């Protein structure tokens, strides 16, 4: 990249830099989680997070992300600019230190909430390490400082002044390394979702996303929400086309010491609960002390209210947490100087001092709100009471079905072809749509540890169902029974009969629909099963390419073309290509070999985010409201055509 040879003064530090960053290149997963699409997008978030920190410090109110041709991306802000002065111990520019020395995070100076992003400024050097090219431009109100890096952090020249300016800010351009990432193309909508979330969490900061790629269609989004969390809740409800129980979200804010808490909540007429929590702008997927504080207070306030106004009579049971959260959309955001994250995926806030603070704030402010807005209080309370009755009905239905032993693991569903092995560490359950595919799967499996459950009957639209409807549904009951671990509040994974639950459906619209329904069902009613990573999707091949005895199975059009070229004979004899329209078209051996045998198959582990996405797709596509459905299909036109809708 650089014409002139390495300047001698940089020899030493250059070698150290590359050694340090080499650690990141050797184990990228340790720093960014994965080298798949998620990890790729994480690079952008790391840089954006540094700009958000600057916004939180009060110096920046505009952050721009531009997607360039050749898979490069530019992130810009109008903050103070990364410090460019010579670092006291390293002897090079502080900005260069931030971008080349691992763990140079910790930021410079102190004060403020150094908060967003997972890596706290460590991200800058990680992004550099994983890029083939990176350019750093800092405007400090007088000069434009510039430096470029290549091949994971190498550089020939130090940061230098390339011009004058009256503006301030930082601009980072980088191109992710294609030898590290599975794919280097950024997805506009993935970035849009993330930036929108950050725009809600950082009220008043403007986020701009621009697609400048040849095939980017000139998309541009300019996001700024003065309403913050209130706008977040309104946006979610609007998008789902939800009918709200009260016109305005209920919002609380409070601060104690250096902890700030913000909450917005609103009820809709659905049976779903959506509580999203954030700590220092990081989504806490597994909840934590802030979420617990909120939920405790909510349950307590509604029960106190009910007793005080005698809506809950002496003989009545208290409302449960699930009762008071039915139809609730709530966003909880806390900011604190030192976050502790725990749990399996470090997605759970651990700071114990946060729970009592949030609990006290919500208790006081919600109590006041309900007193001042009796009509809202009554509407929500009635809904919670209905939820309580439905739950009671579900309990009865469950006991009833238990007595009839339909959900009892002693009596397995008739259609289940069970395996002989009993150890859930190795057993697998394939849930297969359709009897004919079920038949092939039965023959093609390894019966020692693979069980098959064909689905039949009408699929319940889980979107509109409460738990009581699931009991007694002829399609879902066998699934619940076969799994053996119960559902809803009763779920007990120690009783799970199969360690892997694999949904196997055709690679077409109907198959996608079945997968979406099943994932939504697991997400809504058996979430721990998803959280603990037991749910998978099978990937049947799309094509069989064969010539004589040589056979290849292709999972994508690219693979098909590759195998066709490989199998084309010397005299130009073309191989035969068969497109599988459904699982049923494969004979048992083919299905077993390509889709079920662990030695050949690809299965996709479903995580909570995937299941939540399925849930959202279902809400939008199956819900009652036509307008959001039309909008969703328009916005996801690409996805929709993939599905042949
Ligand atoms: C497009 C990315 O990095 N902006 C940015 C970064 C920093 C500062 C300002 C800054 C911080 C402080 C003082 C301070 C810094 N980043 C790093 C690190 N935008 C972007 N804007 N002066 C300026 O925290 O006290 C160090 S400073 F490490 F993350 F690179």
């Amino acid at each position: 990249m650089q014409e002139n040879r390495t300047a001698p003064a940089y020899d030493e530090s250059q070698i150290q830099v590359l050694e340090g960053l080499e650690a990141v290149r050797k184990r990228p997963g340790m720093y960014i989680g994965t080298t798949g699409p998620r990890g790729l997008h994480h690079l952008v978030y790391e840089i954006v997070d540094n700009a958000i920190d600057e916004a939180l410090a009060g110096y920046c109110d505009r952050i721009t992300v531009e997607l360039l041709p050749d898979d490069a991306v530019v992130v810009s802000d109008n903050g103070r600019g990364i410090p460019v002065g010579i670092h006291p111990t390293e002897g090079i520019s502080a900005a260069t230190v931030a971008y080349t020395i691992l763990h140079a995070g910790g930021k410079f100076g102190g004060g403020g909430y150094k908060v967003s992003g997972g890596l706290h400024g460590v991200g800058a050097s990680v992004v550099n390490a994983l890029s083939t090219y990176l350019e750093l431009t800092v405007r400090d109100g007088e000069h434009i400082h510039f430096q470029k890096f290549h091949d994971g952090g190498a550089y020939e020249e130090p940061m230098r002044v390339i011009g004058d300016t009256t503006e301030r800010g930082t601009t980072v351009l980088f191109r992710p390394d294609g030898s590290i990432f599975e794919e280097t193309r950024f997805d506009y909508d993935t970035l849009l979702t993330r930036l929108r979330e950050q725009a809600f969490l950082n009220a008043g900061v403007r986020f701009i996303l621009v697609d400048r790629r040849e095939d980017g269609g000139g998309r541009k989004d300019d996001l700024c929400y003065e309403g913050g969390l209130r706008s977040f809740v309104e946006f979610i409800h609007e998008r789902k086309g939800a009918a709200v129980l009260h016109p305005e979200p209920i919002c609380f804010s409070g601060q104690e010491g250096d902890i700030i808490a913000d909450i917005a909540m609103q009820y809709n007429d659905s049976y779903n609960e959506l509580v999203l929590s954030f700590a220092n702008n990081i989504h806490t997927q597994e909840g934590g002390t802030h979420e617990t504080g909120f939920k405790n207070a909510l349950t307590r306030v509604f029960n106190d209210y009910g007793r005080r106004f005698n809506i809950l009579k002496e003989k009545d049971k208290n409302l449960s947490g699930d009762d008071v959260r039915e139809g609730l959309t709530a966003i909880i955001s806390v900011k604190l100087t030192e976050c502790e994250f725990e749990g399996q995926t470090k997605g759970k806030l651990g700071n114990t001092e946060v729970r009592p603070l949030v609990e006290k704030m919500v208790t006081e402010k919600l109590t006041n709100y309900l007193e001042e807005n009796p009509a809202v209080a009554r509407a929500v309370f009635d809904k919670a009471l209905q939820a309580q009755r439905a739950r009671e009905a579900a309990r009865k239905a469950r006991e009833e079905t238990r007595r009839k032993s339909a959900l009892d693991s002693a009596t397995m569903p008739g259609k289940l072809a069970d395996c002989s092995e009993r150890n859930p560490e190795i057993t697998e359950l394939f849930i297969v749509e359709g009897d004919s595919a079920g038949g092939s799967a039965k023959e093609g499996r390894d019966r020692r540890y693979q069980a098959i459950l064909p689905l039949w009957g009408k699929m319940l639209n889980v979107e509109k169902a409460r738990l009581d409807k699931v009991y007694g549904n002829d399609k879902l009951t066998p699934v619940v029974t076969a799994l053996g671990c119960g559902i809803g509040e009763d779920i007990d994974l120690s009783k799970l009969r199969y360690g892997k639950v694999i949904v196997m459906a055709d690679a077409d619209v109907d198959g996608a629909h079945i997968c979406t329904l099943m994932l939504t069902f697991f997400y809504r009613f058996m979430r721990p099963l998803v959280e603990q990573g037991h749910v998978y999707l099978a990937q049947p091949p799309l094509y069989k390419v064969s010539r004589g005895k040589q056979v290849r199975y292709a999972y994508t059009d690219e693979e098909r073309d590759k195998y066709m070229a490989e199998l084309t004979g010397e005299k130009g004899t073309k191989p035969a290509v068969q497109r599988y329209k459904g699982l049923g078209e494969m004979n048992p051996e083919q299905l077993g070999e390509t889709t079920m045998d662990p030695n050949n198959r690809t299965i996709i582990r479903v995580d909570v985010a995937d299941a939540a996405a399925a849930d959202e797709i279902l809400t939008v596509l199956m819900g009652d409201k036509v307008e959001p459905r039309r909008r969703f299909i328009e916005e996801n036109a690409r996805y929709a055509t993939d599905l042949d809708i």
Side-chain angles (χ1 to χ4, degrees):
M1 294 243 159
Q2 198 69 26
E3 291 280 302
N4 46 341
R5 295 294 308 147
T6 308
Y10 286 89
D11 263 2
E12 184 84 353
S13 60
Q14 173 94 245
I15 291 164
Q16 281 178 11
V17 161
L18 291 175
E19 278 174 358
L21 295 190
E22 191 54 29
V24 181
R25 296 173 62 81
K26 275 204 184 110
R27 291 208 176 73
M30 289 231 328
Y31 299 89
I32 52 160
T34 79
T35 53
R38 206 164 290 187
L40 177 74
H41 291 85
H42 207 98
L43 299 182
V44 181
Y45 308 156
E46 286 301 335
I47 303 298
V48 169
D49 284 347
N50 290 340
I52 293 177
D53 280 353
E54 185 67 355
L56 283 168
Y59 297 103
C60 150
D61 64 4
R62 196 186 64 231
I63 300 170
T64 307
V65 176
E66 294 163 273
L67 300 178
L68 302 190
D70 290 336
D71 295 345
V73 56
V74 186
V75 184
S76 250
D77 71 43
N78 64 346
R80 289 167 292 178
I82 305 181
V84 291
I86 298 298
H87 190 278
T89 55
E90 302 291 338
I92 50 175
S93 164
T96 310
V97 172
Y99 272 78
T100 56
I101 300 183
L102 194 57
H103 300 303
K107 286 299 172 74
F108 300 55
Y113 294 90
K114 309 267 149 111
V115 288
S116 53
L119 299 177
H120 307 275
V122 178
S125 60
V126 170
V127 172
N128 201 4
L130 301 177
S131 297
T132 54
Y133 183 69
L134 187 142
E135 259 179 32
L136 186 55
T137 311
V138 174
R139 296 167 301 280
D140 65 4
E142 287 181 35
H143 301 296
I144 305 171
H145 305 260
F146 179 86
Q147 186 172 20
K148 58 187 166 189
F149 305 87
H150 61 90
D151 302 305
Y155 59 92
E156 278 71 34
E157 284 182 57
M159 188 136 231
R160 64 190 172 93
V161 172
I162 57 162
D164 295 339
T165 183
T166 54
E167 294 183 351
R168 302 195 69 133
T170 305
T171 300
V172 178
L173 176 152
F174 67 93
R175 186 173 291 118
D177 192 331
S179 69
I180 289 176
F181 292 95
E182 289 164 25
E183 209 185 304
T184 51
R185 187 180 164 86
F186 291 103
D187 180 60
Y188 188 91
D189 288 297
T190 302
L191 294 172
L192 177 61
T193 303
R194 169 74 177 218
L195 293 185
R196 178 172 282 131
E197 172 193 285
Q198 291 300 322
F200 287 128
L201 292 168
N202 299 282
V205 179
R206 188 170 159 204
F207 289 80
I208 302 167
L209 177 61
V210 190
D211 200 333
R212 299 196 192 284
R213 296 173 296 191
E214 292 93 344
D215 54 352
R219 288 180 73 180
K220 177 172 178 179
D221 282 271
D222 193 330
L223 313 161
C224 182
Y225 301 99
E226 295 295 342
L229 301 189
R230 169 188 297 276
S231 309
F232 202 163
V233 170
E234 286 171 343
F235 177 83
I236 292 170
H237 278 156
E238 202 180 297
R239 208 159 122 135
K240 288 195 172 189
V244 293
L245 293 196
H246 46 106
E248 294 272 319
I250 308 167
C251 304
F252 318 117
S253 299
Q255 175 162 13
E256 205 173 279
D258 59 4
I259 309 174
I260 299 174
D262 284 291
I263 295 177
M265 55 183 275
Q266 188 174 30
Y267 284 89
N268 60 66
D269 71 353
S270 79
Y271 305 135
N272 313 324
E273 162 188 342
L274 181 67
V275 176
L276 294 178
S277 60
F278 298 83
N280 288 352
N281 291 342
I282 301 163
H283 183 197
T284 34
Q285 192 95 53
E286 300 171 73
T289 51
H290 49 347
E291 213 175 293
T292 309
F294 169 76
K295 290 179 174 175
N296 287 351
L298 192 73
T299 312
R300 164 128 46 90
V301 168
F302 275 105
N303 278 305
D304 285 353
Y305 183 89
R307 299 284 171 203
R308 201 141 39 94
F309 293 96
N310 214 23
I311 323 174
L312 276 181
K313 304 282 184 313
E314 219 166 304
K315 61 172 178 25
D316 292 338
K317 273 196 199 151
N318 265 355
L319 298 168
S320 73
D322 290 318
D323 296 336
V324 299
R325 292 194 303 274
E326 190 181 278
L328 174 68
T329 299
I331 316 283
I332 304 158
S333 168
V334 296
K335 297 197 171 117
L336 48 159
T337 27
E338 207 72 49
C339 273
E340 292 155 27
F341 293 105
E342 27 183 76
Q344 279 208 326
T345 58
K346 295 271 170 248
K348 187 172 177 181
L349 183 67
N351 302 61
T352 50
E353 67 278 18
V354 174
R355 188 186 54 78
L357 166 85
V358 174
E359 208 167 300
K360 185 162 153 264
M361 177 180 110
V362 176
T363 303
E364 284 174 11
K365 302 201 171 172
L366 185 60
T367 302
N368 288 342
Y369 177 91
L370 295 182
E371 272 165 21
E372 287 162 18
N373 298 273
V376 176
R378 194 60 212 224
V380 174
F381 202 90
D382 284 348
K383 181 162 174 54
L385 275 180
Q386 278 177 27
Q388 189 187 41
R389 283 185 210 119
R391 227 171 290 285
E392 190 61 21
R395 196 182 54 76
K396 291 215 177 94
R398 187 171 64 221
E399 279 166 7
E400 186 68 13
T401 30
R402 250 194 215 142
R403 244 198 319 279
K404 285 196 250 151
S405 77
L407 288 183
D408 184 345
S409 57
T411 328
M412 280 297 137
K415 296 241 178 186
L416 175 74
D418 214 347
C419 50
S420 49
E421 187 58 56
R422 279 284 154 263
N423 177 3
E425 301 253 322
I426 56 173
T427 54
E428 303 179 342
L429 176 69
F430 284 83
I431 300 176
V432 188
E433 163 72 3
D435 275 345
S436 77
S440 290
K442 268 180 211 175
E443 280 185 58
R445 67 181 169 145
D446 184 332
R447 60 182 60 237
R448 277 172 307 166
Y449 68 94
Q450 295 182 320
I452 312 293
L453 181 67
L455 286 182
W456 75 103
K458 188 175 161 11
M459 186 76 184
L460 178 74
N461 186 351
V462 271
E463 163 58 18
K464 292 184 193 151
R466 270 192 178 124
L467 197 57
D468 53 327
K469 290 265 173 47
V470 175
Y471 296 101
N473 174 268
D474 60 355
K475 204 155 190 168
L476 293 174
T477 311
V479 176
V480 178
T481 310
L483 292 179
C485 59
I487 57 175
E489 289 162 36
D490 300 334
I491 193 162
D492 178 1
L493 287 187
S494 71
K495 298 204 178 116
L496 182 64
R497 298 178 65 247
Y498 311 95
K500 289 196 174 75
V501 181
I502 307 171
V503 181
M504 186 156 76
D506 291 343
D508 63 4
V509 195
D510 290 342
H513 188 188
I514 291 291
C515 289
T516 309
L517 285 168
M518 284 311 305
L519 293 195
T520 302
F521 168 68
F522 289 136
Y523 178 72
R524 291 268 168 91
F525 300 113
M526 304 183 84
R527 194 169 303 177
L529 196 68
V530 182
E531 284 168 346
Q532 308 289 315
H534 292 291
V535 180
Y536 296 80
L537 297 177
Q539 289 288 95
L542 291 175
Y543 302 99
K544 177 184 173 185
V545 184
S546 61
R547 198 170 63 89
K549 289 215 177 74
Q550 299 194 66
V551 180
R552 304 261 199 292
Y553 297 102
Y555 295 84
T556 60
D557 289 358
E558 288 77 38
E559 266 181 14
R560 174 201 58 195
D561 296 344
K562 194 176 106 198
Y563 295 150
M564 278 174 69
E566 276 176 24
L567 292 189
T568 297
E570 270 159 39
K571 298 193 194 102
T573 27
K574 290 260 181 295
V577 178
Q578 182 189 357
R579 187 190 156 103
Y580 291 122
K581 293 234 178 56
L583 297 169
E585 288 185 8
M586 274 183 262
N587 64 36
E589 293 71 46
Q590 287 171 341
L591 184 63
E593 188 188 326
T594 60
T595 315
M596 301 173 70
D597 180 355
N599 295 317
N600 303 327
R601 74 184 181 195
T602 320
I603 54 174
I604 300 173
R605 178 182 269 173
V606 174
D607 65 21
V608 174
D610 299 328
D615 186 89
E616 196 192 340
I617 289 171
L618 202 65
T619 308
V620 178
L621 291 181
M622 312 293 219
D624 297 324
K625 313 290 181 317
V626 176
E627 174 56 21
R629 176 161 49 222
R630 192 183 58 75
R631 197 156 12 101
F632 180 88
I633 292 174
E634 269 172 21
E635 283 172 13
N636 295 275
R638 210 159 26 104
Y639 178 74
T641 44
D642 285 351
L643 281 178
D644 278 335
I645 284 177

